PDB file of all heavy atoms in Angstrom:
ATOM      1  N   VAL A  14      -6.474  -7.393  -2.023  1.00 96.00           N
ATOM      2  CA  VAL A  14      -7.782  -7.531  -1.401  1.00 96.00           C
ATOM      3  C   VAL A  14      -8.425  -8.789  -1.984  1.00 96.00           C
ATOM      4  O   VAL A  14      -8.472  -8.951  -3.205  1.00 96.00           O
ATOM      5  CB  VAL A  14      -8.677  -6.303  -1.689  1.00 96.00           C
ATOM      6  CG1 VAL A  14     -10.083  -6.527  -1.169  1.00 96.00           C
ATOM      7  CG2 VAL A  14      -8.068  -5.046  -1.092  1.00 96.00           C
ATOM      8  N   VAL A  15      -8.887  -9.675  -1.113  1.00 97.00           N
ATOM      9  CA  VAL A  15      -9.562 -10.891  -1.561  1.00 97.00           C
ATOM     10  C   VAL A  15     -11.021 -10.551  -1.854  1.00 97.00           C
ATOM     11  O   VAL A  15     -11.707  -9.959  -1.023  1.00 97.00           O
ATOM     12  CB  VAL A  15      -9.472 -12.004  -0.497  1.00 97.00           C
ATOM     13  CG1 VAL A  15     -10.265 -13.231  -0.940  1.00 97.00           C
ATOM     14  CG2 VAL A  15      -8.012 -12.370  -0.232  1.00 97.00           C
ATOM     15  N   VAL A  16     -11.474 -10.909  -3.054  1.00 97.00           N
ATOM     16  CA  VAL A  16     -12.848 -10.655  -3.482  1.00 97.00           C
ATOM     17  C   VAL A  16     -13.550 -12.010  -3.599  1.00 97.00           C
ATOM     18  O   VAL A  16     -13.152 -12.845  -4.424  1.00 97.00           O
ATOM     19  CB  VAL A  16     -12.884  -9.886  -4.818  1.00 97.00           C
ATOM     20  CG1 VAL A  16     -14.316  -9.698  -5.290  1.00 97.00           C
ATOM     21  CG2 VAL A  16     -12.175  -8.538  -4.683  1.00 97.00           C
ATOM     22  N   PRO A  17     -14.587 -12.252  -2.782  1.00 97.00           N
ATOM     23  CA  PRO A  17     -15.257 -13.560  -2.800  1.00 97.00           C
ATOM     24  C   PRO A  17     -16.198 -13.708  -3.992  1.00 97.00           C
ATOM     25  O   PRO A  17     -17.083 -12.885  -4.205  1.00 97.00           O
ATOM     26  CB  PRO A  17     -16.033 -13.573  -1.483  1.00 97.00           C
ATOM     27  CG  PRO A  17     -16.311 -12.128  -1.200  1.00 97.00           C
ATOM     28  CD  PRO A  17     -15.146 -11.363  -1.755  1.00 97.00           C
ATOM     29  N   GLY A  73     -20.083 -12.226  -3.194  1.00 96.00           N
ATOM     30  CA  GLY A  73     -20.863 -10.990  -3.273  1.00 96.00           C
ATOM     31  C   GLY A  73     -20.943 -10.211  -1.984  1.00 96.00           C
ATOM     32  O   GLY A  73     -21.619  -9.191  -1.918  1.00 96.00           O
ATOM     33  N   SER A  74     -20.256 -10.642  -0.950  1.00 96.00           N
ATOM     34  CA  SER A  74     -20.389  -9.984   0.362  1.00 96.00           C
ATOM     35  C   SER A  74     -19.465  -8.791   0.551  1.00 96.00           C
ATOM     36  O   SER A  74     -19.595  -8.067   1.531  1.00 96.00           O
ATOM     37  CB  SER A  74     -20.142 -10.996   1.486  1.00 96.00           C
ATOM     38  OG  SER A  74     -18.817 -11.505   1.432  1.00 96.00           O
ATOM     39  N   LEU A  75     -18.565  -8.551  -0.373  1.00 96.00           N
ATOM     40  CA  LEU A  75     -17.640  -7.430  -0.229  1.00 96.00           C
ATOM     41  C   LEU A  75     -18.289  -6.176  -0.807  1.00 96.00           C
ATOM     42  O   LEU A  75     -18.672  -6.134  -1.971  1.00 96.00           O
ATOM     43  CB  LEU A  75     -16.331  -7.746  -0.945  1.00 96.00           C
ATOM     44  CG  LEU A  75     -15.112  -6.942  -0.556  1.00 96.00           C
ATOM     45  CD1 LEU A  75     -14.875  -6.966   0.944  1.00 96.00           C
ATOM     46  CD2 LEU A  75     -13.892  -7.468  -1.282  1.00 96.00           C
ATOM     47  N   LYS A  76     -18.421  -5.166   0.005  1.00 97.00           N
ATOM     48  CA  LYS A  76     -19.050  -3.906  -0.407  1.00 97.00           C
ATOM     49  C   LYS A  76     -18.096  -2.763  -0.114  1.00 97.00           C
ATOM     50  O   LYS A  76     -17.330  -2.813   0.838  1.00 97.00           O
ATOM     51  CB  LYS A  76     -20.367  -3.667   0.356  1.00 97.00           C
ATOM     52  CG  LYS A  76     -21.342  -4.838   0.340  1.00 97.00           C
ATOM     53  CD  LYS A  76     -21.860  -5.151  -1.028  1.00 97.00           C
ATOM     54  CE  LYS A  76     -22.871  -6.294  -0.956  1.00 97.00           C
ATOM     55  NZ  LYS A  76     -23.071  -6.936  -2.217  1.00 97.00           N
ATOM     56  N   GLY A  77     -18.142  -1.735  -0.916  1.00 95.00           N
ATOM     57  CA  GLY A  77     -17.371  -0.537  -0.629  1.00 95.00           C
ATOM     58  C   GLY A  77     -15.979  -0.498  -1.230  1.00 95.00           C
ATOM     59  O   GLY A  77     -15.185   0.366  -0.865  1.00 95.00           O
ATOM     60  N   LEU A  78     -15.656  -1.388  -2.156  1.00 95.00           N
ATOM     61  CA  LEU A  78     -14.378  -1.276  -2.845  1.00 95.00           C
ATOM     62  C   LEU A  78     -14.413  -0.009  -3.692  1.00 95.00           C
ATOM     63  O   LEU A  78     -15.446   0.340  -4.267  1.00 95.00           O
ATOM     64  CB  LEU A  78     -14.157  -2.493  -3.733  1.00 95.00           C
ATOM     65  CG  LEU A  78     -13.994  -3.812  -3.004  1.00 95.00           C
ATOM     66  CD1 LEU A  78     -14.160  -4.983  -3.957  1.00 95.00           C
ATOM     67  CD2 LEU A  78     -12.642  -3.868  -2.330  1.00 95.00           C
ATOM     68  N   GLY A 129     -22.202  -9.626  -7.150  1.00 98.00           N
ATOM     69  CA  GLY A 129     -22.771  -8.574  -6.324  1.00 98.00           C
ATOM     70  C   GLY A 129     -21.773  -7.851  -5.436  1.00 98.00           C
ATOM     71  O   GLY A 129     -22.169  -7.026  -4.613  1.00 98.00           O
ATOM     72  N   ASN A 130     -20.475  -8.136  -5.562  1.00 98.00           N
ATOM     73  CA  ASN A 130     -19.474  -7.342  -4.850  1.00 98.00           C
ATOM     74  C   ASN A 130     -19.565  -5.920  -5.390  1.00 98.00           C
ATOM     75  O   ASN A 130     -19.549  -5.711  -6.605  1.00 98.00           O
ATOM     76  CB  ASN A 130     -18.071  -7.919  -5.071  1.00 98.00           C
ATOM     77  CG  ASN A 130     -17.919  -9.283  -4.425  1.00 98.00           C
ATOM     78  OD1 ASN A 130     -18.060  -9.436  -3.221  1.00 98.00           O
ATOM     79  ND2 ASN A 130     -17.641 -10.290  -5.245  1.00 98.00           N
ATOM     80  N   ALA A 131     -19.699  -4.950  -4.495  1.00 98.00           N
ATOM     81  CA  ALA A 131     -20.021  -3.583  -4.900  1.00 98.00           C
ATOM     82  C   ALA A 131     -18.779  -2.698  -4.959  1.00 98.00           C
ATOM     83  O   ALA A 131     -17.970  -2.672  -4.032  1.00 98.00           O
ATOM     84  CB  ALA A 131     -21.033  -2.983  -3.926  1.00 98.00           C
TER      85      ALA A 131
END
Side-chain angles (χ1 to χ4, degrees):
V14 174
V15 176
V16 177
S74 63
L75 199 53
K76 309 295 182 199
L78 294 164
N130 293 300

